Amino acid sequence: MALVIAGERSGVGKTTVTLTLLASLRRRDRLVQSFKVGPDYIDPMFHQHVTGRACRNLDPVLTSEAYVQQCFARHSQLSEYALVEGVMGLFDGVSSLVISHLSFANDEGQRTNDKGQITDFASTAHIARLLDLPVVLVIDCSRLSGSVAAIAHGYRSFDPRIKIAGVILNRVGSDRHLSLLKDSLKPLQLAILGVLRRQDNITIPDRHLGLVPTAELPELNALIDRLADLGDTCFDWQHLLPLLKSQPLPYPPYSLHPSSSLVRIAIARDRAFNFYYQDNLDLLQQLGAELVFWSPLEDAGIPKDIQGMYFGGGFPEVFAQQLAKNTSVRDAVKTAILKGMPTIAECGGLMYLCEQIIDFEGKSWSMAGVLPTSAVMGGRLTLGYRCAVALQDNLLVKANTTVYGHEFHRSHLTLTPTWPLFKTSRYDCEENMGCEGWGFPANVHASYVHLHWGESREIPQQFLKECLKLASLGT
């Protein structure tokens, strides 16, 4: 048993409710493991800040249904309580094109078209069914009273496979408002498991890609304390705690064959680069890599005695001036790559390897200069799951291999590569999204597409294989 926190739509306060629950549990010295549905990086940062444990993403598009079940079973059994934060509205998922796949696939026959069929694949409801977990529905009550019953009834009856354990009423304005809401819900005999009043002193700032990451919020601990205070009084803990209780679940262990040779991988992790799936980092370690965390913002150079580099996504555009000023690091990164250092650069990492970043104000800042293009910030958001077919052998995958990833950025490149890494299309339909990704120099994999390696263990294995080649040369 564990609990899924779902919303009736985006923006109803799922993350606030989830953090309030987590903060109150931690104040009680409860060991709690959190999970996040979907490809999100930032919400898991907040979870981890509160719980002290890495939040795990549950995403059957980036991995598989089986991996979602195994990941939940593996990590939930190590804690006393488990909590899953949903994504968007309860039933919002992938539609029109149903695809059954392994994330690392080279067989086109694994893709199955069901044109016109609407599905909730990868939705919060889908995850709740996969894990057989009850759902608590968060409802934004700020602009309704009696209609709350229609919303609750609709969500409870829409899919009888979903077990709605109760509702949490968010943004309740007054005692009179609450009385109207309770009167409306009473005929449904649906438990009200929490009531959160409108809070003027609890606000998590956001910007162009969502919430501002935890590393940039100096007042975060004070905010978490306020959430814990709120959580102590706003929830029906007598009914919630049994629902949150985690039970050990069986899961099949997977076997990895770590290298007998030590490989040191430099992981760029600071305020500019912090979008990493914990499972990816775990896989590198399980395969025998030593992870060396460093900061392109603050350090004077790249770590010594490394055989590979990994630049995750993040917000290099926000810190472009500081990155540009650190010329010693920029030069060291470029020199190492041109000498053959295997390097993964996802999204923000890709931008850092460009010649320049041009920010929202049109100011230009010099970057590492490995790729002969510039990243330009703009208002247009590129967002969605991608089916990406490798057009050539590259650092991570062989030609014609299909991988499934996610894009989320507001930048574009001034020059497209002559020999791109991938031909991409939308995941939920066959719309061509064009070609993208830089694989030149050949030791570089630079792409806007974020990849989760949970069902694609060949990717970190191939990366470390290339790093070992460098190690064997004594470089």
Side-chain angles (χ1 to χ4, degrees), residues 341-389:
M341 179 81 70
T343 302
I344 300 172
E346 286 186 339
C347 201
L350 159 69
M351 296 166 64
Y352 182 64
L353 296 192
C354 291
E355 291 179 342
Q356 297 172 322
I357 289 178
I358 301 172
D359 65 20
F360 285 109
E361 297 178 353
K363 296 180 180 178
S364 178
W365 307 99
S366 295
M367 293 292 120
V370 175
L371 309 178
T373 184
S374 296
V376 182
M377 302 306 301
R380 179 176 177 269
L381 176 63
T382 300
L383 169 67
Y385 289 114
R386 298 289 180 260
C387 172
V389 180

Side-chain angles (χ1 to χ4, degrees), residues 320-451:
Q321 182 176 10
Q322 189 175 346
L323 289 168
K325 285 183 177 179
N326 198 342
T327 55
S328 61
V329 163
R330 291 194 289 112
D331 292 344
V333 167
K334 183 175 183 178
T335 298
I337 290 175
L338 294 182
K339 287 185 175 180
M341 179 81 70
T343 302
I344 300 172
E346 286 186 339
C347 201
L350 159 69
M351 296 166 64
Y352 182 64
L353 296 192
C354 291
E355 291 179 342
Q356 297 172 322
I357 289 178
I358 301 172
D359 65 20
F360 285 109
E361 297 178 353
K363 296 180 180 178
S364 178
W365 307 99
S366 295
M367 293 292 120
V370 175
L371 309 178
T373 184
S374 296
V376 182
M377 302 306 301
R380 179 176 177 269
L381 176 63
T382 300
L383 169 67
Y385 289 114
R386 298 289 180 260
C387 172
V389 180
L391 296 174
Q392 56 179 299
D393 291 350
N394 59 71
L395 178 66
L396 301 185
V397 296
K398 299 295 184 182
N400 300 317
T401 298
T402 299
V403 294
Y404 296 90
H406 187 263
E407 280 192 82
F408 189 34
H409 55 91
R410 290 191 184 274
S411 67
H412 67 275
L413 302 183
T414 56
L415 181 69
T416 56
T418 305
W419 297 282
L421 290 179
F422 295 121
K423 177 183 178 182
T424 64
S425 61
R426 286 172 55 102
Y427 177 86
D428 55 352
C429 69
E430 295 178 338
E431 179 184 348
N432 181 15
M433 300 301 294
C435 297
E436 75 91 51
W438 292 78
F440 182 83
N443 53 298
V444 169
H445 180 102
S447 170
Y448 271 124
V449 179
H450 293 277
L451 299 176

